[in-house]
């Protein structure tokens, strides 16, 4: 649809034909913002285009291929599905594009995957297996559901009723329990009562990411209802991917604004930052470490609140009513840095690609499952940057990133340390 | 598959299977439009084709081999560095081989002799950062920090910073060129000692042929390596700040300063440029077209139109803002001195300084040409002249008049005469005429306007730089030559006997006029029939 009624509804790919037709091949989606361009090294921010090299893998290629698909000039094929799915939906292209233009690139990429599923061609076979696990065991690892709370450390008791509900997520429940443990210990140390969901299920991240929007919406409804029933006013996550689901994709799928969820969604780093600034939490233990911080896409450039929009597009492509576009400006960038800087002994060094220019770790949005080599390659690229700035450790605020970096470090037998930020905060407050 | 199995296998053996594809999905990803420079116009719709095959060489030797194979099997090919230059950078005939040069991204910098050796995959912002880090700089063409430095150097290469430096001809040093038939030529000093420090002599110097005023758009071979002259800068860092979309370079104002001046008239602006040049001060200068300011201010397309609709012919005709860049190359005192001289010049001419932000978001490292598409979605610069200042000013005014009768479909711009500035300390004047339109409306008259600009140039004797590759050669050649077209075609024939290098350039616009029904009424010149493979 080029003119006339349109909306941001990702289940109708026609809403994004305008965006697909207006891509100008400037490749602002692939290069680091030129103002921050660090030179010939570390100059791109799109993992897909950097790994597969053909223009077809950059957002400009995806827009052209997507348009041909929608217009019936191309049919599904192995290569086409690879182009749609060997992409971390990391949002670097979206903020890059919106630096100069008003195109909805991330939403277009999501809509194309939803279309692929609707057309019976997507997602990738590996995704289908995990989707099944999510539906039966309520987690993305296919692990027994009854083991979901095994991570809970001794001596920490969640409240039956509290303002803060900690949504642990699949990773911290099963594969990275250290993150869940650190999170609850931090809450405990700050004297924050918190509760867990009586029966926590997966947030549905993979389902939504690969285009299985109907299944994801079901989970969104169920999870939002659970929080409302529990009466929490704050939903806290320690996972960037869960965070984006709750804050952005749930409202998107439910046709409401983030503000209408009925509770606040916060990531641990926002919460800790607030506690520090209030003086309720003090980071006092020394950690002598030169480290760098990796911005997880879903906590940073993809995390701005969602507001549904529908209207008309007219002459010059103008829309009415005006649309306040999510350009990644107000992502959670500063809080984790303030936290790390507040830890005595920590020396925070920035990588050339930081904040909205960060190079995705490669793990998320179905990539690790369907294209593991690509996911590890992306992490390797990022770790090269960590080493370039001479950091001893890389810190992120998402178990997906931590897990992927850790895999590469162990595969290559590197000395580099990989932490989740919750672990460092805990080490600095624990007596 | 568009090209034969046999040819594909030969090409594959050159680069390896990972770096070649004839898969229709991969090839679709290389389509020129529908968005982009000159895209959405009839020219793009009629003249561009999805490539039949894409190949990504890594070395000059590989490029040579590919080109030789193309000659042997008569396969048309087009060099492609980043593809930002829109329709003209893409295949114009079916089953064409697109040679994507992005893997050729080697980079070396010789700090002592102030040059960098780059391959086509290196873009300007990378080069500028590497240079500035070492106390040097380069003029980033206004078309963008995202373009290939080589592709820009052989075609365009100007920005307000060209005021001091001029066009890039002489900044092209030792260069490697794979001729259309695959033969390798090394230009300048590179030819003799493998040392690229010098552009003219001792080896051959084909720079004039390579770029003329504004290049031949890929139809005379492939530049695989170029040494580019860097210029001494000043020592302070231009610090990147802000979060997208509000990112900018903070200027060290003791050394680098932009100052905007309100001038009483266009004449006063012109005089200021001359006077600055006589005094040999300033590092950059331009007249600011008002819509650039509005683009910079607007947070969205909708806001652009809200702000723009407040303008009218009167506000535009009284808007004379001159933007001047001062750099204390040698010292802080240099900047102070130049600012004093500049203030005297401007005061004498009745102008006054406006408050100017101590930052740069448009010219040093980031030229955000992408913003040109914000307001309408369709954009092309239909004409640019590089002549004298006296020539450039009436050129802009004249086109503003002509444009009125084509508005709509062109964007209403209240008679704006486009971009104007001086190059090379005012030895040259520059005028660029930019047009915008809504590509989702009928665009036939946009195509007409493009062609009418040629006729207007001929009628009014404006010296345009957009000759051969951009306009019908048989229209412009006889008028400017009188045998420019014959000469150009003879050169092309000599270098590209099989006519495989980006056909039908330099006759592409002729072919367009021949093929597009709606262009035919405008054809009032003689030309032979262009034979073109569909
Ligand atoms: C919006 C916009 C504004 C512009 N404003 C300015 C400006 O202010 N100043 C300025 O200087 N320029 C300007 N330009 C021109 C622009 O900067 C081109 O010079 C630049 O885009 C070319 O680089 P590219 O990477 O895009 O080349 P491509 O699109 O890859 O190629 C451009 C042409 O060169 C050929 N080519 C590419 N690589 C090679 C090679 N290695 N050897 C031989 N031929 C090759 C291609 O076949 C094609 O015909 C503007 C362009 C646009 C789109
Ligand atoms: S930044 Fe946007 S317009 Fe530019 S190439 Fe990427 S997707 Fe296209
Ligand atoms: S989402 Fe990330 S990986 Fe995918 S095209 Fe955009 S920048 Fe590239």
């Amino acid at each position: 649809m080029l003119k006339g009624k349109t909306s941001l509804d990702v289940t109708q790919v026609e809403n994004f034909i305008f965006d697909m037709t207006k891509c100008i091949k400037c490749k602002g989606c692939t290069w680091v913002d030129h103002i921050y361009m660090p030179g010939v090294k570390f100059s791109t921010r799109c993992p897909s285009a950097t790994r597969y090299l053909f223009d077809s893998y950059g957002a400009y290629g995806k827009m052209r291929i997507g348009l041909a698909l929608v217009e019936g000039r191309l049919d599904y094929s192995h290569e086409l599905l690879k182009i749609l799915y060997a992409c971390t939906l990391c949002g670097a292209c979206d903020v890059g594009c919106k630096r100069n233009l008003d195109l909805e690139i991330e939403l277009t990429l999501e809509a194309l995957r939803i279309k692929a599923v609707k057309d019976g061609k997507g997602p990738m076979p590996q995704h289908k297996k995990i989707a099944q696990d999510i539906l039966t065991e309520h987690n993305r690892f296919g692990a027994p559901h009854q083991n979901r709370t095994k991570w809970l450390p001794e001596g920490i008791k969640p409240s039956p009723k509290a303002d803060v509900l900690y949504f642990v997520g699949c990773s911290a429940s099963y594969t990275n329990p250290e993150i869940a443990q650190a999170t609850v210990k931090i809450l405990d140390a700050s004297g924050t009562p918190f509760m867990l969901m009586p029966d926590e299920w997966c947030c549905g991240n993979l389902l939504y990411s690969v285009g299985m929007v109907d299944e994801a919406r079901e989970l969104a409804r169920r999870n939002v209802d659970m929080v409302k029933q529990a009466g929490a006013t704050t939903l806290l996550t320690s996972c960037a991917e869960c965070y984006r689901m709750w804050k952005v994709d749930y409202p998107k799928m439910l046709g409401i604004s983030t503000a209408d969820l009925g509770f606040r969604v916060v990531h641990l780093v926002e919460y800790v930052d607030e506690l520090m600034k209030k003086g309720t939490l003090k980071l006092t233990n020394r950690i002598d470490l030169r480290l760098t911080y990796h911005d997880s896409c879903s906590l940073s450039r993809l995390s701005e609140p969602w507001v549904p929009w529908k209207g008309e597009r007219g002459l010059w492509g103008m829309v009415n009513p005006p649309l306040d576009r999510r350009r990644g400006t107000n992502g959670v960038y500063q809080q984790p840095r303030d936290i790390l800087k507040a830890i005595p002994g920590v020396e925070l060094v920035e990588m050339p690609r930081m904040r909205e220019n960060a190079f995705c770790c490669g793990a998320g949005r179905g990539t690790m499952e369907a294209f593991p080599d690509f996911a590890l390659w992306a992490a390797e690229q990022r770790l090269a940057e960590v080493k370039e700035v001479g950091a001893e450790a890389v810190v992120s605020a998402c178990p997906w990133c931590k897990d992927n970096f850790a895999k590469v470090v162990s595969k290559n037998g590197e000395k580099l340390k990989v932490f989740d930020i919750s672990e460092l905060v805990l080490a600095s407050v624990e007596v | 598959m568009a090209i034969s199995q046999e040819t594909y296998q030969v090409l594959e053996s050159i680069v390896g299977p990972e770096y070649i594809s004839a898969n229709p999905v991969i090839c679709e990803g290389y389509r020129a439009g529908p968005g982009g420079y000159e895209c959405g116009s009839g020219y793009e719709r009629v003249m561009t084709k999805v490539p039949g095959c894409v190949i990504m060489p890594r070395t000059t030797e590989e490029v040579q081999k590919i080109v030789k194979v193309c000659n042997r099997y008569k396969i048309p090919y087009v060099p492609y560095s980043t593809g930002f230059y829109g329709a003209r950078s893409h295949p114009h005939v079916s089953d064409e081989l697109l040679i994507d040069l992005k893997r050729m991204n080697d980079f070396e910098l010789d700090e002592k002799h102030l040059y960098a050796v780059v391959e086509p995959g290196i873009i300007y912002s990378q080069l500028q950062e590497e240079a500035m880090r070492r106390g040097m700089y380069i003029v980033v063409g206004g078309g963008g920090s995202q373009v290939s430095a080589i592709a820009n150097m052989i075609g365009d290469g100007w920005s307000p910073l060209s005021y001091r430096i001029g066009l890039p001809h002489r900044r092209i040093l030792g260069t490697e060129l794979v001729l259309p038939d695959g033969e390798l030529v090394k230009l300048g000093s590179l030819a003799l000692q493998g040392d690229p420090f010098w552009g003219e002599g001792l080896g051959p110097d084909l720079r004039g042929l390579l770029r003329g005023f504004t290049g031949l758009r890929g139809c005379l071979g492939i530049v695989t390596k170029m040494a580019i002259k860097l210029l001494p800068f000043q020592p302070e860092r231009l610090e990147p700040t802000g979060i997208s979309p509000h990112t900018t370079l903070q200027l060290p104002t003791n050394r680098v300063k932009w100052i905007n001046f309100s001038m009483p008239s266009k004449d006063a602006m012109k005089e200021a440029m001359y006077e600055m040049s006589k005094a040999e001060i300033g590092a950059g200068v331009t007249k600011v077209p008002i819509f650039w300011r509005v683009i910079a201010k607007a947070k969205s397309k909708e806001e652009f139109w809200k702000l723009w609709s407040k303008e009218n012919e009167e506000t535009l005709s009284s808007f004379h803002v001159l933007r001047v860049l001062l750099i204390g190359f040698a010292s802080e005192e240099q900047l102070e001195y130049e600012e004093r001289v500049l203030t005297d010049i401007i005061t004498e001419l009745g102008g006054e300084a406006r408050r100017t932000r101590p930052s740069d978001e448009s010219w040093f490292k980031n030229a955000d040409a992408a913003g040109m598409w914000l307001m309408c979605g369709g954009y092309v610069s239909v004409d640019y002249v590089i002549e004298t200042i006296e020539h450039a000013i009436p050129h802009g005014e004249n086109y503003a008049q002509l444009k009125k009768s084509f508005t709509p479909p062109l964007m209403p711009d209240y008679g704006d005469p486009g971009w104007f500035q001086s190059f090379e300390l005012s030895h040259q004047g520059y005028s660029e005429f930019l047009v915008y339109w809504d590509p989702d409306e009928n665009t036939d008259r946009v195509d007409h306007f493009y062609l009418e600009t040629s006729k207007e140039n001929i009628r009014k004797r404006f010296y345009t730089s957009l000759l051969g590759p951009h306009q019908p050669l048989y229209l412009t050649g006889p008028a400017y030559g009188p045998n420019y077209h014959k000469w150009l075609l003879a050169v092309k024939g000599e270098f590209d006997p099989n006519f495989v290098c980006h056909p039908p350039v330099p006759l592409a616009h002729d072919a367009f006029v021949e093929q597009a029904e709606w262009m035919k009424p405008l054809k009032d010149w003689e030309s032979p029939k262009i034979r073109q493979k569909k």
Side-chain angles (χ1 to χ4, degrees), chain A residues 86-118:
Chain A
C87 155
T88 57
L89 287 187
C90 66
C93 47
D94 196 64
V95 294
C97 191
K98 285 182 182 147
R99 187 186 186 282
N100 296 307
L101 298 171
D102 286 346
L103 305 182
E104 294 296 343
I105 305 301
E106 175 84 1
L107 296 181
T108 306
L109 296 176
E110 290 178 3
L112 285 169
R113 289 188 181 187
I114 292 170
K115 175 181 163 56
V117 171
K118 260 198 217 163

Side-chain angles (χ1 to χ4, degrees), chain B residues 195-264:
Chain B
D195 182 346
F197 80 100
W198 196 239
E200 56 240 24
L202 304 167
D205 179 2
L206 297 186
R207 290 176 303 179
L209 202 62
L210 249 186
R211 63 161 287 141
F213 258 123
T214 54
L216 284 167
R217 306 292 172 228
C219 81
L220 267 194
I222 304 181
V223 176
T224 48
K225 204 185 276 293
M226 182 186 283
I228 299 177
K229 184 78 199 153
L230 302 174
L231 310 155
F233 198 33
Q234 51 75 48
E236 307 260 346
R237 176 142 174 91
L238 276 56
E239 202 57 57
T241 56
I243 300 179
S244 187
H246 314 290
T247 58
T248 188
L249 289 176
Q250 218 54 47
L251 300 179
T253 46
N254 55 333
R255 286 289 196 141
V256 185
K257 217 177 209 179
W258 277 109
I259 313 177
N260 294 339
F261 297 99
S262 285
M263 303 301 287

Side-chain angles (χ1 to χ4, degrees), chain A residues 212-223:
Chain A
M212 299 174 69
V213 70
D214 294 335
E215 294 83 347
R217 193 184 297 108
E218 278 310 300
L219 268 177
R221 272 206 194 99
R222 185 246 177 214
N223 285 344

